[in-house]
Amino acid sequence: MFKEKKSYKIVSIILALLLLLSTIALFGINKPQRNVTAEPEFANETFDVNGSLYGSGNSLYNPETYIRSRYNVSSLTSENHEIPSWSYMSQSALNQVYNDRNNAHVNGTCGVVACTGVAFYYSTVKGYTNIPSDKDTLFGRLISECYHITGDEGTYSSSYKIVVPWLFEQYGYSIRASRATVMWKYTKMREQVDAHIPTIFCTSGTELYGSHAMVVVGYKKYTFTYDGNKTKTETYYMLDEGWGRNRAAYVLEGDMPGSWEITIFER
């Protein structure tokens, strides 16, 4: 019988420790928090973009129609999971009010809009009544006191886990936030919706959205039969794009619009 020499065992242990440390570094365990102006690190998976879904440059607003355009569907059922009483945001309207009041020229504020939407929802739906129930007030405070935006500087996705808790603290509340760039993002989004909690959804350099921040406000599961007896289930996540359209856009699990990450919240 072959027996491993002691020196080989030591080398094996060292190699195992190095592998563990590299894995920890890769997934960002115990990463220190970044400040508001920090450049984010992206470690996202990038899916192949389906040209018929995202390549046209148009948002998807009717998943059922999209499913039927791809499959010979004989029967279809759906499950709807939505955050109740969500108020859709309008970036252009928020920018205009702020610019008019402050003789300013802010633009590129999608991240501020998403943070505003989260705070407004907690104020008006979840009973955090010390937070103003006025979108313009919340947006203005984030711009002037936190981000200090004067033009089209934009925001970094790494900042939202810091900025939303900061805003809540100004009104006497505590909320925890964390950023997920790699693991369990679909599961976390569904869990947040089921708990009636919004999630900030960020894309990076994508064909449809570019680098854009939105809010996950629900998801829909479609189960359908096609080509006789074949069965399939597809899950679509509902996004407030922040464009004042007062309806959700949809993105498909397993075929998302490029690199993306999420910021989740909990008390």
Side-chain angles (χ1 to χ4, degrees):
M1 180 184 292
F2 174 76
K3 291 186 179 180
E4 190 177 20
K5 291 183 179 179
K6 189 177 291 185
S7 59
Y8 289 159
K9 288 183 179 180
I10 293 172
V11 171
S12 298
I13 291 170
I14 292 172
L15 289 174
L17 287 172
L18 289 173
L19 179 61
L20 176 62
L21 290 172
S22 64
T23 302
I24 289 173
L26 175 63
F27 288 102
I29 297 173
N30 293 327
K31 239 195 237 181
Q33 282 196 336
R34 295 171 171 273
N35 61 40
V36 170
T37 59
E39 177 71 30
E41 291 179 358
F42 284 96
N44 302 312
E45 72 270 36
T46 301
F47 294 98
D48 291 333
V49 173
N50 185 316
S52 63
L53 177 54
Y54 303 115
S56 64
N58 297 315
S59 303
L60 176 67
Y61 294 114
N62 193 326
E64 182 175 342
T65 298
Y66 177 63
I67 290 169
R68 292 184 182 279
S69 73
R70 292 153 54 229
Y71 298 95
N72 181 24
V73 175
S74 56
S75 66
L76 182 148
T77 60
S78 64
E79 296 177 22
N80 189 51
H81 304 260
E82 274 186 79
I83 291 174
S85 304
W86 178 260
S87 178
Y88 285 86
M89 298 288 113
S90 171
Q91 182 177 348
S92 60
L94 288 166
N95 284 348
Q96 182 173 348
V97 170
Y98 181 85
N99 288 334
D100 289 347
R101 289 178 178 177
N102 298 279
N103 192 27
H105 304 281
V106 301
N107 198 7
T109 57
C110 61
V112 189
V113 173
C115 293
T116 298
V118 171
F120 182 80
Y121 173 77
Y122 272 81
S123 170
T124 57
V125 178
K126 295 187 78 69
Y128 286 49
T129 53
N130 289 350
I131 299 175
S133 57
D134 180 74
K135 297 175 185 178
D136 295 312
T137 298
L138 297 170
F139 181 81
R141 188 160 193 182
L142 287 170
I143 291 285
S144 61
E145 296 183 39
C146 191
Y147 280 111
H148 307 290
I149 294 172
T150 58
D152 58 357
E153 297 96 322
T155 57
Y156 291 121
S157 58
S158 56
S159 70
Y160 309 142
K161 69 176 183 181
I162 303 169
V163 167
V164 173
W166 173 87
L167 185 62
F168 275 56
E169 287 172 5
Q170 308 314 301
Y171 299 106
Y173 297 111
S174 176
I175 191 171
R176 290 181 295 177
S178 60
R179 179 175 172 231
T181 62
V182 181
M183 301 294 290
W184 313 116
K185 292 184 288 186
Y186 294 125
T187 300
K188 289 177 184 292
M189 288 191 294
R190 291 193 299 271
E191 288 177 348
Q192 294 289 96
V193 169
D194 293 341
H196 297 167
I197 299 174
T199 300
I200 295 180
F201 178 103
C202 300
T203 62
S204 174
T206 60
E207 185 174 2
L208 172 60
Y209 288 115
S211 295
H212 189 44
M214 298 166 276
V215 182
V216 180
V217 298
Y219 66 94
K220 286 188 176 182
K221 282 188 176 182
Y222 293 87
T223 300
F224 51 94
T225 302
Y226 66 102
D227 290 349
N229 58 359
K230 297 179 182 178
T231 301
K232 187 171 185 179
T233 297
E234 291 186 345
T235 300
Y236 293 79
Y237 296 88
M238 305 168 64
L239 301 178
D240 178 358
E241 298 170 294
W243 293 336
R245 294 175 178 172
N246 293 316
R247 58 175 173 168
Y250 293 83
V251 288
L252 172 60
E253 180 170 315
D255 188 14
M256 303 297 267
S259 294
W260 60 286
E261 64 174 73
I262 59 173
T263 300
I264 60 176
F265 305 97
E266 57 181 322
R267 290 186 63 181

